[in-house]
Amino acid sequence: MVQNEVMVDGEVLHCIGCGAAIQTEDKTAPGYTPQSALDKGIESGEVYCQRCFRLRHYNEIVPVGLTDDDFLKLLSSISATDSLIVYVVDIFDVNGSMIPGLHRLVGDNKVLLVGNKVDVLPASLKKKKVADWLRQRANAAGIRPVDVQLVSAKTNQDVDSLLVNIDKLRKGKDVYVVGVTNVGKSTLINQIIRQSTGVKDLITTSRFPGTTLDKIEIPLDDDKKLTDTPGIIQPEQMAHWLEGKELKLVTPQKTIKPKSYQLNEGQTLFFGGVGRFDYVTGEDKQGFTVYCENNLYLHRSKTENADEFYAKHVGGLLTPPAAENVDSFPELVAHEFKTTEKSDLVIEGLGWVTVPAGVVVKGWAPKGVAVITRPAMI
Ligand SMILES: Nc1nc2c(ncn2[C@@H]2O[C@H](COP(=O)(O)OP(=O)(O)OP(=O)(O)O)[C@@H](O)[C@H]2O)c(=O)[nH]1
Ligand SMILES: [Mg+2]
């Protein structure tokens, strides 16, 4: 697939930002680097491909997508190794973070489950509940992690205790960091590199799905290595359907400020144009609390007018999606639940609404994106 690989000291040269083999021929293929930039990079000892250069300096993505096949091949090669698997999930998108068949792919290797992006959770949320819930979700997918840990790769929260744990669990073996795209694998590894060498942001990270393109190996103290891997892009991830600016409005950037609403039966809340919540039946003036990106526009309306309102305003008042992407954005699909206890209705990748016991509610998400309920985390 890769043409005219560049060799240095008998080895294929890889981009340190995304792992792709460097080449100077095909501008549209992974690893493309203009000759002049390559010469400079070799001289300085740090070669970044043109795509990484653009991502790092201009936050612009050049799409070169990996196929599911490439991804599965890479994952199955891990099953043949004797290593510790660090499986990173986005606590904001647990369903979208599940790798189908991971339990088969990792073989007998131990799995340490890491819930990342804990910085966006409000302080009132009980971390232990979140960790227990993560473990349950992993078990339901056939994965039996030896431990579950919550961290924030971005703010460096609990990364040092994760490192201690990794060192204890790996017992002198190699470490593979796996997970679907956008969960923060590379951000986490950058923190690990920074802690041991002081070098900042070595690997390219971005809010766009599909940033890392190939394995990136980082040496550990004992001749073993820690490997970053590309994440598969899942149609179940909200991020799959959104572009740069849209993603920024949907993905929580900072600690979420909960918003409380008193709703009556027959009222609807829109989350921009990417999600919707209906209070179907229950007593009037019930309290509902919304947890989502602080800058996402929430709009209250009557359920009876909601369909019409959405059709009229999606891409305008109700944005994201942006006007130009409305046609390719999937329709919103309703999922109905009756609660028996105080629960969170979770729209994966978007956030959740804490709802009282004994009500009927509907969560709407783009077709394919999961909506679930769980016992309230707060
Ligand atoms: N709020 C928050 N955002 C994070 C955290 N870790 C990563 N991110 C953001 O999540 C996005 C994806 O991060 P990456 O590290 O590129 O994700 P990845 O898993 O390596 O993605 P691929 O290389 O595509 O597989 C970026 O916008 C990061 O800034 C975190 O702990 N908290
Ligand atoms: Mg990455």
Side-chain angles (χ1 to χ4, degrees):
M1 191 181 78
V2 179
Q3 306 163 348
N4 301 308
E5 289 165 335
V6 175
M7 308 286 286
V8 172
D9 297 336
E11 285 189 34
V12 176
L13 186 65
H14 291 263
C15 169
I16 25 180
C18 68
I22 295 287
Q23 49 92 12
T24 54
E25 301 286 317
D26 184 353
K27 285 187 180 174
T28 61
Y32 174 73
T33 313
Q35 188 65 48
S36 56
L38 174 61
D39 294 342
K40 269 190 218 146
I42 292 177
E43 209 179 294
S44 72
E46 282 190 351
V47 177
Y48 287 98
C49 69
Q50 188 168 68
R51 176 174 174 275
C52 278
F53 183 84
R54 290 210 186 137
L55 264 174
R56 298 167 74 89
H57 295 281
Y58 308 115
N59 232 330
E60 269 171 25
I61 187 94
V62 182
V64 290
L66 284 180
T67 66
D68 289 10
D69 268 6
D70 297 336
F71 179 80
L72 285 175
K73 226 184 270 164
L74 207 142
L75 261 191
S76 3
S77 72
I78 298 175
S79 69
T81 65
D82 183 18
S83 53
L84 172 69
I85 311 293
V86 175
Y87 175 32
V88 184
V89 301
D90 179 347
I91 48 174
F92 231 68
D93 190 2
V94 175
N95 200 68
S97 294
M98 290 293 155
I99 301 177
L102 179 71
H103 60 298
R104 284 192 305 275
L105 291 166
V106 296
D108 293 331
N109 293 318
K110 282 193 179 134
V111 176
L112 170 59
L113 181 61
V114 175
N116 187 31
K117 309 196 182 181
V118 76
D119 57 292
V120 301
L121 296 181
S124 49
L125 206 92
K126 298 191 181 62
K127 304 276 150 54
K128 170 138 191 345
K129 273 197 181 177
V130 178
D132 288 347
W133 178 67
L134 271 186
R135 187 185 285 276
Q136 277 172 24
R137 295 293 297 270
N139 288 348
I143 302 157
R144 309 249 162 249
V146 284
D147 204 354
V148 181
Q149 245 186 304
L150 301 183
V151 301
S152 166
K154 192 167 168 181
T155 64
N156 209 11
Q157 195 177 327
D158 291 328
V159 173
D160 35 357
S161 83
L162 173 67
L163 273 178
V164 172
N165 211 359
I166 289 178
D167 237 11
K168 191 180 81 193
L169 290 170
R170 77 183 177 95
K171 300 204 168 78
K173 296 177 187 176
D174 290 325
V175 181
Y176 285 88
V177 179
V178 306
V180 307
T181 182
N182 247 2
V183 295
K185 299 178 295 298
S186 301
T187 308
L188 178 63
I189 292 175
N190 275 344
Q191 286 291 5
I192 294 175
I193 295 171
R194 196 181 59 84
Q195 290 194 4
S196 58
T197 68
V199 177
K200 278 189 195 161
D201 300 329
L202 183 74
I203 301 176
T204 305
T205 64
S206 84
R207 63 172 177 270
F208 304 103
T211 303
T212 307
L213 296 176
D214 207 337
K215 285 194 273 197
I216 302 177
E217 296 179 346
I218 309 295
L220 294 169
D221 296 344
D222 53 359
D223 274 357
K224 296 289 171 189
K225 52 193 192 298
L226 179 140
T227 302
D228 190 8
T229 64
I232 195 170
I233 300 175
Q234 299 264 61
E236 288 84 6
Q237 282 176 281
M238 184 74 89
H240 181 76
W241 300 109
L242 300 169
E243 292 179 355
K245 279 191 207 121
E246 302 172 305
L247 267 175
K248 208 169 173 182
L249 276 175
V250 169
T251 317
Q253 307 284 318
K254 296 217 170 96
T255 304
I256 292 172
K257 296 190 194 107
K259 297 192 183 90
S260 298
Y261 287 84
Q262 266 201 354
L263 297 181
N264 294 336
E265 214 179 79
Q267 287 192 312
T268 285
L269 282 177
F270 283 105
F271 297 75
V274 294
R276 171 179 155 184
F277 173 83
D278 296 348
Y279 181 17
V280 182
T281 43
E283 286 170 24
D284 276 354
K285 292 206 171 148
Q286 292 270 22
F288 295 82
T289 313
V290 175
Y291 299 82
C292 67
E293 158 52 38
N294 299 329
N295 294 309
L296 182 63
Y297 175 62
L298 298 175
H299 184 92
R300 191 201 298 229
S301 79
K302 282 191 179 155
T303 307
E304 57 183 1
N305 305 330
D307 287 347
E308 203 184 316
F309 189 85
Y310 184 78
K312 191 164 166 202
H313 293 289
V314 64
L317 180 67
L318 302 179
T319 184
E324 63 273 22
N325 296 333
V326 166
D327 290 343
S328 57
F329 194 75
E331 59 172 326
L332 298 186
V333 176
H335 307 254
E336 187 174 283
F337 302 91
K338 184 172 178 25
T339 60
T340 51
E341 60 183 322
K342 188 177 171 194
S343 306
D344 295 332
L345 176 133
V346 184
I347 302 178
E348 294 279 6
L350 178 62
W352 69 91
V353 185
T354 303
V355 304
V359 298
V360 178
V361 291
K362 270 185 196 167
W364 298 65
K367 195 172 183 179
V369 174
V371 179
I372 56 152
T373 56
R374 65 183 179 204
M377 292 280 141
I378 290 184

